[in-house]
PDB file of all heavy atoms in Angstrom:
ATOM      1  N   ARG A  76     108.905 450.525  88.320  1.00 63.00           N
ATOM      2  CA  ARG A  76     109.599 451.739  88.005  1.00 63.00           C
ATOM      3  C   ARG A  76     110.868 451.897  88.975  1.00 63.00           C
ATOM      4  O   ARG A  76     111.661 452.859  88.777  1.00 63.00           O
ATOM      5  CB  ARG A  76     108.668 452.965  88.242  1.00 63.00           C
ATOM      6  CG  ARG A  76     107.551 452.963  87.182  1.00 63.00           C
ATOM      7  CD  ARG A  76     106.749 454.168  87.383  1.00 63.00           C
ATOM      8  NE  ARG A  76     105.670 454.085  86.317  1.00 63.00           N
ATOM      9  CZ  ARG A  76     104.955 455.082  85.901  1.00 63.00           C
ATOM     10  NH1 ARG A  76     105.173 456.281  86.573  1.00 63.00           N
ATOM     11  NH2 ARG A  76     104.034 454.994  85.096  1.00 63.00           N
ATOM     12  N   ARG A  77     111.027 451.046  89.950  1.00 61.00           N
ATOM     13  CA  ARG A  77     112.090 451.134  90.778  1.00 61.00           C
ATOM     14  C   ARG A  77     113.355 450.633  90.021  1.00 61.00           C
ATOM     15  O   ARG A  77     113.369 449.555  89.415  1.00 61.00           O
ATOM     16  CB  ARG A  77     111.892 450.210  91.968  1.00 61.00           C
ATOM     17  CG  ARG A  77     113.074 450.178  92.966  1.00 61.00           C
ATOM     18  CD  ARG A  77     112.830 449.167  94.006  1.00 61.00           C
ATOM     19  NE  ARG A  77     112.150 449.838  95.165  1.00 61.00           N
ATOM     20  CZ  ARG A  77     111.718 449.163  96.191  1.00 61.00           C
ATOM     21  NH1 ARG A  77     111.898 447.857  96.275  1.00 61.00           N
ATOM     22  NH2 ARG A  77     111.172 449.800  97.196  1.00 61.00           N
ATOM     23  N   HIS A  78     114.363 451.469  90.061  1.00 59.00           N
ATOM     24  CA  HIS A  78     115.564 451.178  89.362  1.00 59.00           C
ATOM     25  C   HIS A  78     116.636 450.647  90.306  1.00 59.00           C
ATOM     26  O   HIS A  78     116.688 451.047  91.496  1.00 59.00           O
ATOM     27  CB  HIS A  78     116.167 452.402  88.601  1.00 59.00           C
ATOM     28  CG  HIS A  78     115.189 452.951  87.630  1.00 59.00           C
ATOM     29  ND1 HIS A  78     115.007 452.347  86.426  1.00 59.00           N
ATOM     30  CD2 HIS A  78     114.394 454.070  87.677  1.00 59.00           C
ATOM     31  CE1 HIS A  78     114.143 453.052  85.727  1.00 59.00           C
ATOM     32  NE2 HIS A  78     113.726 454.164  86.443  1.00 59.00           N
ATOM     33  N   ALA A  79     117.393 449.650  89.844  1.00 57.00           N
ATOM     34  CA  ALA A  79     118.444 449.058  90.687  1.00 57.00           C
ATOM     35  C   ALA A  79     119.620 450.087  90.784  1.00 57.00           C
ATOM     36  O   ALA A  79     119.875 450.893  89.897  1.00 57.00           O
ATOM     37  CB  ALA A  79     118.944 447.718  90.002  1.00 57.00           C
ATOM     38  N   ARG A  80     120.266 449.979  91.883  1.00 58.00           N
ATOM     39  CA  ARG A  80     121.443 450.786  92.084  1.00 58.00           C
ATOM     40  C   ARG A  80     122.507 450.333  91.197  1.00 58.00           C
ATOM     41  O   ARG A  80     122.729 449.101  91.006  1.00 58.00           O
ATOM     42  CB  ARG A  80     121.861 450.757  93.543  1.00 58.00           C
ATOM     43  CG  ARG A  80     120.864 451.353  94.505  1.00 58.00           C
ATOM     44  CD  ARG A  80     121.347 451.302  95.891  1.00 58.00           C
ATOM     45  NE  ARG A  80     120.232 451.651  96.812  1.00 58.00           N
ATOM     46  CZ  ARG A  80     120.186 451.252  98.069  1.00 58.00           C
ATOM     47  NH1 ARG A  80     121.138 450.445  98.521  1.00 58.00           N
ATOM     48  NH2 ARG A  80     119.192 451.569  98.803  1.00 58.00           N
ATOM     49  N   PRO A  81     123.317 451.226  90.637  1.00 59.00           N
ATOM     50  CA  PRO A  81     124.376 450.747  89.763  1.00 59.00           C
ATOM     51  C   PRO A  81     125.499 449.960  90.603  1.00 59.00           C
ATOM     52  O   PRO A  81     125.754 450.306  91.732  1.00 59.00           O
ATOM     53  CB  PRO A  81     125.010 452.022  89.186  1.00 59.00           C
ATOM     54  CG  PRO A  81     124.582 453.134  90.107  1.00 59.00           C
ATOM     55  CD  PRO A  81     123.293 452.671  90.771  1.00 59.00           C
ATOM     56  N   ALA A  82     125.946 448.908  90.002  1.00 58.00           N
ATOM     57  CA  ALA A  82     127.031 448.066  90.683  1.00 58.00           C
ATOM     58  C   ALA A  82     128.343 448.776  90.475  1.00 58.00           C
ATOM     59  O   ALA A  82     128.606 449.364  89.418  1.00 58.00           O
ATOM     60  CB  ALA A  82     126.967 446.674  90.116  1.00 58.00           C
ATOM     61  N   GLU A  83     129.178 448.604  91.475  1.00 56.00           N
ATOM     62  CA  GLU A  83     130.538 449.104  91.393  1.00 56.00           C
ATOM     63  C   GLU A  83     131.538 447.991  90.994  1.00 56.00           C
ATOM     64  O   GLU A  83     131.388 446.921  91.503  1.00 56.00           O
ATOM     65  CB  GLU A  83     130.934 449.756  92.780  1.00 56.00           C
ATOM     66  CG  GLU A  83     129.977 450.838  93.221  1.00 56.00           C
ATOM     67  CD  GLU A  83     130.369 451.308  94.620  1.00 56.00           C
ATOM     68  OE1 GLU A  83     131.242 450.782  95.256  1.00 56.00           O
ATOM     69  OE2 GLU A  83     129.558 452.034  95.172  1.00 56.00           O
ATOM     70  N   ALA A  84     132.406 448.324  90.131  1.00 52.00           N
ATOM     71  CA  ALA A  84     133.372 447.296  89.734  1.00 52.00           C
ATOM     72  C   ALA A  84     134.710 447.422  90.560  1.00 52.00           C
ATOM     73  O   ALA A  84     135.120 448.542  90.871  1.00 52.00           O
ATOM     74  CB  ALA A  84     133.729 447.524  88.266  1.00 52.00           C
ATOM     75  N   LYS A  85     135.260 446.292  90.896  1.00 52.00           N
ATOM     76  CA  LYS A  85     136.484 446.307  91.634  1.00 52.00           C
ATOM     77  C   LYS A  85     137.655 446.432  90.609  1.00 52.00           C
ATOM     78  O   LYS A  85     137.616 445.730  89.617  1.00 52.00           O
ATOM     79  CB  LYS A  85     136.633 444.941  92.376  1.00 52.00           C
ATOM     80  CG  LYS A  85     135.683 444.780  93.574  1.00 52.00           C
ATOM     81  CD  LYS A  85     136.051 443.473  94.286  1.00 52.00           C
ATOM     82  CE  LYS A  85     135.104 443.292  95.486  1.00 52.00           C
ATOM     83  NZ  LYS A  85     135.429 442.114  96.225  1.00 52.00           N
ATOM     84  N   PRO A  86     138.480 447.372  90.837  1.00 56.00           N
ATOM     85  CA  PRO A  86     139.561 447.647  89.888  1.00 56.00           C
ATOM     86  C   PRO A  86     140.543 446.384  89.732  1.00 56.00           C
ATOM     87  O   PRO A  86     141.067 446.168  88.657  1.00 56.00           O
ATOM     88  CB  PRO A  86     140.192 448.906  90.216  1.00 56.00           C
ATOM     89  CG  PRO A  86     139.789 449.085  91.720  1.00 56.00           C
ATOM     90  CD  PRO A  86     138.550 448.347  91.913  1.00 56.00           C
ATOM     91  N   GLU A  87     140.828 445.773  90.821  1.00 60.00           N
ATOM     92  CA  GLU A  87     141.857 444.713  90.781  1.00 60.00           C
ATOM     93  C   GLU A  87     141.368 443.436  90.168  1.00 60.00           C
ATOM     94  O   GLU A  87     142.113 442.683  89.544  1.00 60.00           O
ATOM     95  CB  GLU A  87     142.459 444.425  92.224  1.00 60.00           C
ATOM     96  CG  GLU A  87     141.470 443.904  93.219  1.00 60.00           C
ATOM     97  CD  GLU A  87     140.727 445.008  93.947  1.00 60.00           C
ATOM     98  OE1 GLU A  87     140.997 446.161  93.739  1.00 60.00           O
ATOM     99  OE2 GLU A  87     139.866 444.648  94.753  1.00 60.00           O
ATOM    100  N   THR A  88     140.105 443.057  90.280  1.00 58.00           N
ATOM    101  CA  THR A  88     139.637 441.799  89.785  1.00 58.00           C
ATOM    102  C   THR A  88     138.715 441.982  88.557  1.00 58.00           C
ATOM    103  O   THR A  88     138.519 441.060  87.827  1.00 58.00           O
ATOM    104  CB  THR A  88     138.814 440.983  90.862  1.00 58.00           C
ATOM    105  OG1 THR A  88     137.726 441.782  91.245  1.00 58.00           O
ATOM    106  CG2 THR A  88     139.744 440.648  92.113  1.00 58.00           C
ATOM    107  N   GLY A  89     138.155 443.160  88.399  1.00 55.00           N
ATOM    108  CA  GLY A  89     137.197 443.381  87.310  1.00 55.00           C
ATOM    109  C   GLY A  89     135.847 442.804  87.574  1.00 55.00           C
ATOM    110  O   GLY A  89     134.907 442.956  86.764  1.00 55.00           O
ATOM    111  N   ALA A  90     135.596 442.243  88.722  1.00 56.00           N
ATOM    112  CA  ALA A  90     134.254 441.644  89.104  1.00 56.00           C
ATOM    113  C   ALA A  90     133.335 442.759  89.581  1.00 56.00           C
ATOM    114  O   ALA A  90     133.803 443.780  90.062  1.00 56.00           O
ATOM    115  CB  ALA A  90     134.408 440.607  90.152  1.00 56.00           C
ATOM    116  N   ILE A  91     132.072 442.543  89.369  1.00 60.00           N
ATOM    117  CA  ILE A  91     131.147 443.540  89.794  1.00 60.00           C
ATOM    118  C   ILE A  91     130.693 443.240  91.257  1.00 60.00           C
ATOM    119  O   ILE A  91     130.395 442.098  91.563  1.00 60.00           O
ATOM    120  CB  ILE A  91     129.849 443.481  88.847  1.00 60.00           C
ATOM    121  CG1 ILE A  91     130.232 443.849  87.492  1.00 60.00           C
ATOM    122  CG2 ILE A  91     128.770 444.369  89.383  1.00 60.00           C
ATOM    123  CD1 ILE A  91     129.145 443.713  86.524  1.00 60.00           C
TER     124      ILE A  91
END
Side-chain angles (χ1 to χ4, degrees):
R76 294 185 181 195
R77 178 186 269 178
H78 299 287
R80 296 179 189 156
E83 299 173 5
K85 289 184 179 179
E87 64 272 358
T88 61
I91 296 175

